[in-house]
Amino acid sequence: PYSFKDNVVPTVNAFSLEANANLTIPIKINVPANAQPGGFYTSVLVSNQPSVDEESQSSVTKGGTKVISRIGTLFFIRVNGVAQESGILEDLRISSPTKDSSSYMFNILFKNDGNVHLVPYGWVTITDVFGKMVGKVPVDAYFAMPKSVRYRVVQWNAPFLFGKYEATVQLNRGYGSDLVDSKTVTFWAIPVKETSMIVLGLLVLYMLYRFFSMRFKLVSR
């Protein structure tokens, strides 16, 4: 419903371009008189057409296959008028790091209920059990298309952590400077390697204590 492909017309449909040469192609955008206010989206693609010699060579060397390169640019078009801007932070989840990494992944789910793209942005703040901030990661601005949900993954390269922590995301919806949603997730950080070494050390101390207590007796004089 938000496609504008039939209303975007390149002024040139075919051209020849020498190596290392540049060409500017104007694009005409026709906005219908009955177009509703809001966002519309399309792209303009340019692909190469191999020459006859290249096609003949391709048939010999690649068994008849033809390789075509293609490049494009996106068009974000907004029709003037009162658009429906509506979005909300739906969810915040966290992925624990693997044993070979100390990075945490915060998965932010944003829902766009409107009819124009939004550009949410914000911060993820991490605090320990005492409320002290141990990390802060920006959520860079990104596009959320109309009538869709989009996950945004934010990576945090954490320092050494042990214990209980809270991660809070504050996300500006991308319209209206004071429309900020917030969600918090609690997680535990228990480093397996370091914890195993501590447990092993305590076990060794306990075994030594048992060994000496069963074979020696302290006598006061």
Side-chain angles (χ1 to χ4, degrees):
Y2 304 104
S3 173
F4 221 58
K5 65 178 183 179
D6 296 330
N7 301 297
V8 175
V9 182
T11 57
V12 176
N13 292 320
F15 57 89
S16 297
L17 195 64
E18 299 294 334
N20 299 318
N22 297 321
L23 178 67
T24 300
I25 303 177
I27 304 296
K28 184 178 181 180
I29 301 175
N30 299 319
V31 180
N34 60 348
Q36 297 296 319
F40 295 90
Y41 310 92
T42 188
S43 63
V44 173
L45 302 176
V46 177
S47 61
N48 72 312
Q49 176 65 41
S51 65
V52 176
D53 293 338
E54 290 175 334
E55 289 185 346
S56 300
Q57 183 67 21
S58 175
S59 300
V60 174
T61 60
K62 300 181 181 179
T65 60
K66 182 168 62 175
V67 178
I68 296 178
S69 301
R70 178 178 292 178
I71 191 171
T73 185
L74 299 176
F75 281 74
F76 284 50
I77 302 164
R78 179 161 178 170
V79 177
N80 289 336
V82 181
Q84 181 185 355
E85 293 179 318
S86 177
I88 192 170
L89 174 63
E90 286 278 299
D91 194 15
L92 171 65
R93 299 183 183 182
I94 182 172
S95 300
S96 300
T98 63
K99 63 179 180 180
D100 299 325
S101 172
S102 61
S103 298
Y104 287 81
M105 300 295 182
F106 298 105
N107 302 293
I108 302 168
L109 178 61
F110 182 81
K111 183 178 182 181
N112 185 348
D113 290 322
N115 64 352
V116 65
H117 68 275
L118 301 177
V119 190
Y121 62 93
W123 294 88
V124 177
T125 305
I126 303 93
T127 57
D128 60 18
V129 69
F130 303 106
K132 179 182 177 182
M133 186 176 69
V134 297
K136 189 174 184 179
V137 187
V139 181
D140 295 331
Y142 63 100
F143 290 115
M145 305 306 288
K147 301 297 182 184
S148 66
V149 294
R150 183 177 181 185
Y151 266 108
R152 175 71 168 180
V153 179
V154 178
Q155 178 176 325
W156 178 46
N157 297 320
F160 177 78
L161 300 178
F162 188 89
K164 183 180 178 181
Y165 295 86
E166 283 189 349
T168 301
V169 58
Q170 291 183 309
L171 196 70
N172 190 298
R173 297 181 183 179
Y175 63 97
S177 59
D178 58 342
L179 296 177
V180 179
D181 296 323
S182 177
K183 282 189 178 295
T184 300
V185 63
T186 302
F187 65 98
W188 286 82
I190 303 178
V192 176
K193 182 179 179 180
E194 289 79 0
T195 304
S196 301
M197 294 178 62
I198 294 174
V199 172
L200 181 61
L202 293 175
L203 182 61
V204 170
L205 291 176
Y206 175 75
M207 296 299 293
L208 290 174
Y209 167 77
R210 292 282 296 175
F211 175 80
F212 285 105
S213 64
M214 294 177 64
R215 288 167 176 74
F216 299 94
K217 184 177 181 180
L218 297 176
V219 178
S220 59
R221 295 183 177 181

